[in-house]
Amino acid sequence: MSDSEDMTEFASIVERIERGEVPIKNIERELICPICKELFTHPLILPCQHSICHKCVRELLMLNHEDSFDAGSECSLPSSPRSRVPSPSMERLDRIVRSGSISSPGWRKGSVTPRITTIHCPGCQHDIDLGERGISMLFRNFTLESIVERYRQAARAAVAIMCNICKPPPQEATKSCMDCKASYCNECFKLHHPWGTPKAQHEYVGPTTNFRPKVLMCPEHEMEKVNMYCEVCRRPVCHLCKLGGSHANHKVTSMSSAYKILKEKLAKSIHYLISKEDQVRTQITDLEQLISQTEENGQLAEREANEHFDHLFETLQERKSEMLRSIEQSRSRRLNQLKSQVEEYQGMLENSGLVGYAQEVLKETDQSCFVQTAKQLHVRIQKATDSLRTFHPAADPSFDEFVLDTSKEETLLKEMCFGGVPEPPLIDLSNSHVYNKASISWRLSDDHLPTDHHLVEYCRRGAPCEDSEDSGVWRSTDRVYGPSTVVCDLEPNSLYSFRVRTCRNSMFSPYSPEIMLHTPPAPAFGFLFSDKCGFSAERLILNKQRDVVDSVAGMAFLLAAERVQTGSYIPLDYIIGDTGISQGRHYWAFRVDPQSFMVKVGVASDSKLIEWFHNPRDTSSPRYDHDSGHDSGSEDTCYDVSQPFTLLTVGMGKIFIPKASSSSSVSSTSMPSAEPGNRVLPMPQRLGVCLDYEACRVCFYDADTMRCLYERQVDCSGTMYPAFGLMGSGRIQLEELITTKKLTF
């Protein structure tokens, strides 16, 4: 086919689509919301380009927010999982969406409850972040609304749309005004849209109940029309979004150009599908044959499985009968032996049996006859006497040799499976850790066969010093379709077991070997490095994300070293967190490069930081503090009083534990021996710090094992900040908070 013929046929398809000649029937499944499984009602377009009903998006947000629901929030808004109310009118919906009042159900400004703007899209199976404004940033899918409305009208063709203006009884509507958002019969339309008036210029269509705005407005800038298309975010934007908004650096194109390009692409795709109709029908036939074969093969596999189990049952029944028969034979034999012994002993009783017979023999007066009988009788009496002296039961009443151990057989039966059962996955310890949440990763077996999904199960083993009701109870996550997942809602300071199993064709693999992870002792404290307070740009390099700082031992460091000759110390370069702590218990973790020369990590109060950053006498040496009267920064010095700061020295792949103080302010249980060799430990891969503000105590942890390395009292009289000091070359990287994986558009 030539290019001109292709273009002619393409133009014909476009005209048919625009005239609505493409049949509306048989498309119902494209108009069903994947959440409520009903026809779309006010659908919204997610950033992943899938559509979901407005009420369903709200319900998803409410479900995500259930654990931290704010009772004082917008309780009158439409649709929640707990109570359903009718959807608002189109005008009210537009007004609510534009006002941003429904951007995050259950959240209000100033609330301490975290704002929830993440939902799980059932179309692409990814978690979608709606951004700061939540639902208010989503466009309504007016095109889909129109198609749904046409489908509804086709489905209820016998039900006419009545005029909204007529007095009862109303007449059947012949047209609807998109400006007035009402349906009219011919007479009422002429009456309300007279010639020569502005209303005569209103846009009208055939009878409909679906009224949409004539112009699509920007959800971020309510008074601006969308006139451009962002190719990065794949959504319409206004000129303000491009000039200084969130799309300032994105590539955009004009709306007319995007309309033309997307419409041509869609029409070409439809043309391709129509041209491949024979191929599609052939594939449908093949699929129907596969369905038939699947049904037959499934029934055959079921019959064969039943036959195997019936054979096992028969074998088990036969073996059961044989073993029970053996028990019965042994029981009968032993009973007969014991009963014979009972009869023998009963004969020893007076006037009965052997004794009675012997008494009668004694009455014999004829000597020859007595001797003839008494000799044999005496032998029997003698045996009976010996039997009394050495009594032994004729049979053992115990049946210990008939105790049946079926543990091995039960294990074999439990492990009995089909040949296609997947191998168990293996949890990757190097990529699994716990911080504010648990991130669990695993590797699949080497069979390279695709899997349907995975299930991660976790079990709390209990806090170190207390028992918990849920201790030992396994809980499962939702289905996971990748090699990793995030587990939430873990209790602090607890030991958890994790295991994974794989599902393929409805058959589960055995569980992976369990791993144990310990949660931090307090909630994770999120902060970044501050580039304002005391930050030395000459010797410290901060990355763009402000979570990694490098100390460069350059010329400035060498020049500062000359001051050693004059009795001064080379100063540390300090950097602190951008967020302070004034209450509660908080924990944060970080990594120190093993090649770092010297790094000090800990906490410091705002007043002490002011002294360090603005008093040359203090900043000349981190080891000198005129308030304490001693060398407060030295690890060779005991802390006798509580100071408004605590710093631990790390460097050259080692961590240096300070000497234990005679004061009770320093924990002796968590401290190594006071010997210098015992106070130098290998540096963990990750270090953790826990500050209890009310208890005025700071603890340092091996963040991988949650083993406390050192703890002591600290003066929390002001706002406390995470503090770090670097000398020479070094690097500190803050631990990133674990978040549920989201798609970025």
Side-chain angles (χ1 to χ4, degrees):
M1 183 180 293
S2 64
D3 293 341
S4 59
E5 292 175 343
D6 283 339
M7 292 302 296
T8 302
E9 186 171 354
F10 168 70
S12 175
I13 292 175
V14 173
E15 292 177 359
R16 290 174 57 202
I17 294 174
E18 292 177 343
R19 293 196 303 266
E21 296 178 1
V22 177
I24 197 69
K25 61 181 180 179
N26 299 330
I27 64 169
E28 181 176 357
R29 65 179 180 179
E30 301 294 334
L31 310 180
I32 298 296
C33 174
I35 301 296
C36 61
K37 305 301 181 184
E38 298 176 357
L39 290 176
F40 281 106
T41 304
H42 311 324
L44 301 178
I45 304 177
L46 300 180
C48 57
Q49 304 303 306
H50 293 102
S51 295
I52 301 180
C53 292
H54 166 262
K55 59 182 178 63
C56 295
V57 175
R58 282 189 50 77
E59 289 183 4
L60 287 176
L61 287 173
M62 294 292 288
L63 287 174
N64 290 343
H65 197 76
E66 208 169 40
D67 293 336
S68 56
F69 186 78
D70 188 351
S73 61
E74 311 271 344
C75 60
S76 62
L77 295 177
S79 299
S80 74
R82 305 180 185 275
S83 60
R84 289 179 176 267
V85 297
S87 298
S89 65
M90 302 294 284
E91 294 84 353
R92 183 169 180 268
L93 175 63
D94 284 334
R95 186 169 62 256
I96 293 175
V97 169
R98 305 183 90 81
S99 66
S101 62
I102 59 174
S103 61
S104 181
W107 183 89
R108 62 186 178 190
K109 187 174 182 180
S111 173
V112 297
T113 305
R115 187 172 185 169
I116 306 299
T117 59
T118 302
I119 64 173
H120 182 77
C121 175
C124 56
Q125 299 296 330
H126 286 93
D127 292 320
I128 307 300
D129 189 357
L130 303 183
E132 285 295 325
R133 299 189 62 187
I135 298 180
S136 64
M137 287 298 295
L138 300 180
F139 282 103
R140 277 175 45 204
N141 195 336
F142 292 114
T143 302
L144 181 56
E145 282 189 36
S146 300
I147 297 174
V148 171
E149 179 60 26
R150 294 209 306 268
Y151 179 83
R152 292 182 189 273
Q153 292 181 10
R156 60 171 187 260
V159 180
I161 298 177
M162 308 308 292
C163 178
N164 301 134
I165 308 301
C166 285
K167 295 181 179 180
Q171 301 294 318
E172 182 177 347
T174 58
K175 53 179 65 70
S176 296
C177 179
M178 302 303 292
D179 295 272
C180 299
K181 294 181 174 56
S183 298
Y184 301 88
C185 63
N186 285 331
E187 295 300 325
C188 291
F189 185 81
K190 293 178 181 178
L191 180 64
H192 288 79
H193 297 78
W195 289 103
T197 64
K199 285 191 174 183
Q201 305 300 321
H202 285 187
E203 178 186 359
Y204 62 91
V205 295
T208 182
T209 58
N210 179 42
F211 300 100
R212 66 181 187 184
K214 297 181 64 176
V215 179
L216 194 62
M217 307 299 290
C218 177
E220 188 171 354
H221 308 95
E222 290 86 351
M223 303 305 295
E224 298 295 329
K225 302 176 183 178
V226 293
N227 53 8
M228 290 181 286
Y229 181 79
C230 178
E231 296 184 1
V232 177
C233 301
R234 295 183 293 176
R235 60 178 292 166
V237 296
C238 69
H239 69 284
L240 293 181
C241 294
K242 175 59 180 174
L243 289 177
S246 57
H247 306 269
N249 298 322
H250 294 180
K251 182 180 180 181
V252 299
T253 184
S254 65
M255 189 63 69
S256 59
S257 176
Y259 170 81
K260 180 180 179 181
I261 293 173
L262 292 176
K263 194 164 188 176
E264 287 181 357
K265 287 183 177 180
L266 181 59
K268 286 182 178 179
S269 300
I270 296 174
H271 168 62
Y272 176 81
L273 291 178
I274 293 175
S275 65
K276 300 295 183 179
E277 186 173 350
D278 293 339
Q279 180 179 346
V280 172
R281 294 186 183 279
T282 301
Q283 293 175 351
I284 291 175
T285 303
D286 295 340
L287 290 174
E288 290 175 347
Q289 292 178 355
L290 291 177
I291 292 174
S292 177
Q293 293 176 5
T294 301
E295 183 70 25
E296 294 176 359
N297 293 337
Q299 294 177 355
L300 177 61
E302 186 177 355
R303 287 197 302 270
E304 291 178 349
N306 281 324
E307 291 175 359
H308 286 297
F309 277 104
D310 291 341
H311 182 66
L312 285 176
F313 293 152
E314 292 175 0
T315 303
L316 187 62
Q317 189 64 36
E318 291 176 0
R319 190 58 180 161
K320 175 184 176 182
S321 301
E322 293 176 1
M323 300 183 75
L324 292 179
R325 190 181 307 112
S326 299
I327 295 175
E328 178 61 27
Q329 291 174 354
S330 178
R331 183 178 65 86
S332 300
R333 183 177 65 256
R334 298 183 190 192
L335 288 175
N336 291 335
Q337 292 174 350
L338 292 172
K339 288 179 180 179
S340 299
Q341 190 175 17
V342 169
E343 292 176 357
E344 180 181 349
Y345 274 67
Q346 285 178 345
M348 299 179 190
L349 299 177
E350 186 178 0
N351 300 322
S352 65
L354 181 61
V355 175
Y357 174 67
Q359 290 175 343
E360 293 297 326
V361 170
L362 288 175
K363 296 177 181 180
E364 178 62 49
T365 57
D366 186 291
Q367 295 182 356
S368 59
C369 291
F370 177 81
V371 171
Q372 182 183 13
T373 305
K375 184 174 180 57
Q376 181 64 29
L377 180 60
H378 182 266
V379 173
R380 294 178 61 192
I381 292 294
Q382 188 65 37
K383 288 183 178 180
T385 303
D386 295 339
S387 177
L388 285 174
R389 293 173 180 173
T390 59
F391 173 75
H392 292 290
D396 186 2
S398 173
F399 280 74
D400 291 342
E401 66 270 28
F402 290 97
V403 174
L404 187 61
D405 182 11
T406 60
S407 58
K408 295 182 179 179
E409 288 75 11
E410 289 177 2
T411 302
L412 289 174
L413 288 175
K414 290 179 180 178
E415 293 179 353
M416 181 173 56
C417 57
F418 297 102
V421 172
E423 294 292 326
L426 183 65
I427 297 180
D428 186 0
L429 284 172
S430 61
N431 292 319
S432 300
H433 66 285
V434 172
Y435 194 30
N436 58 316
K437 302 175 183 177
S439 176
I440 307 299
S441 302
W442 55 89
R443 298 190 300 269
L444 301 180
S445 59
D446 297 331
D447 56 10
H448 301 295
L449 296 177
T451 58
D452 296 337
H453 62 271
H454 312 277
L455 286 180
V456 177
E457 296 185 1
Y458 56 101
C459 171
R460 186 185 183 193
R461 297 304 182 186
C465 300
E466 63 177 84
D467 294 330
S468 176
E469 294 181 357
D470 62 348
S471 179
V473 179
W474 285 97
R475 292 189 290 173
S476 177
T477 64
D478 295 332
R479 292 182 175 183
V480 182
Y481 298 92
S484 64
T485 190
V486 173
V487 181
C488 308
D489 304 325
L490 300 180
E491 294 293 331
N493 199 28
S494 298
L495 189 64
Y496 279 88
S497 295
F498 296 88
R499 64 187 185 186
V500 187
R501 61 174 177 168
T502 298
C503 180
R504 180 193 297 146
N505 297 328
S506 302
M507 292 184 291
F508 283 95
S509 71
Y511 285 105
S512 67
E514 296 179 15
I515 67 166
M516 307 287 284
L517 294 176
H518 201 294
T519 56
F525 181 59
F527 67 92
L528 299 173
F529 288 121
S530 173
D531 58 355
K532 297 178 175 60
C533 184
F535 176 71
S536 173
E538 295 180 359
R539 293 182 294 273
L540 296 183
I541 300 177
L542 197 59
N543 70 338
K544 185 178 181 180
Q545 291 75 25
R546 294 195 291 121
D547 60 353
V548 177
V549 61
D550 289 277
S551 175
V552 181
M555 184 60 66
F557 184 79
L558 293 177
L559 293 175
E562 293 182 355
R563 285 182 290 175
V564 175
Q565 299 176 1
T566 64
S568 300
Y569 291 92
I570 300 174
L572 284 172
D573 292 306
Y574 284 97
I575 188 170
I576 65 173
D578 61 356
T579 306
I581 298 173
S582 58
Q583 63 178 354
R585 298 179 71 242
H586 303 275
Y587 173 87
W588 59 94
F590 49 89
R591 298 175 185 268
V592 177
D593 192 302
Q595 304 301 320
S596 300
F597 176 66
M598 189 179 82
V599 175
K600 285 182 175 287
V601 297
V603 296
S605 67
D606 48 0
S607 58
K608 178 55 65 175
L609 290 171
I610 292 175
E611 294 180 13
W612 285 349
F613 294 146
H614 299 289
N615 191 328
R617 182 182 181 186
D618 294 336
T619 57
S620 65
S621 172
R623 302 164 62 90
Y624 177 81
D625 181 68
H626 68 274
D627 293 333
S628 63
H630 66 273
D631 196 5
S632 61
S634 173
E635 282 71 29
D636 296 329
T637 302
C638 297
Y639 291 99
D640 294 326
V641 293
S642 178
Q643 296 291 325
F645 69 96
T646 293
L647 296 173
L648 203 63
T649 301
V650 181
M652 306 300 291
K654 304 292 183 181
I655 181 170
F656 301 89
I657 304 299
K659 286 183 179 180
S661 171
S662 59
S663 170
S664 60
S665 64
V666 180
S667 171
S668 60
T669 58
S670 62
M671 293 279 296
S673 171
E675 295 298 326
N678 295 331
R679 294 191 293 111
V680 179
L681 305 177
M683 185 177 66
Q685 291 186 354
R686 296 162 58 233
L687 282 169
V689 179
C690 180
L691 175 65
D692 190 333
Y693 191 90
E694 282 73 20
C696 296
R697 180 167 291 274
V698 61
C699 304
F700 297 84
Y701 289 87
D702 179 340
D704 292 323
T705 62
M706 288 300 161
R707 181 172 68 95
C708 183
L709 303 174
Y710 173 68
E711 62 176 306
R712 64 153 295 169
Q713 293 293 119
V714 63
D715 181 10
C716 296
S717 57
T719 302
M720 306 298 291
Y721 287 86
F724 306 86
L726 298 95
M727 177 183 290
S729 61
R731 164 176 283 207
I732 303 174
Q733 180 176 357
L734 299 179
E735 185 79 8
E736 183 180 0
L737 292 177
I738 300 174
T739 57
T740 306
K741 291 185 177 180
K742 306 177 181 66
L743 277 185
T744 303
F745 296 92

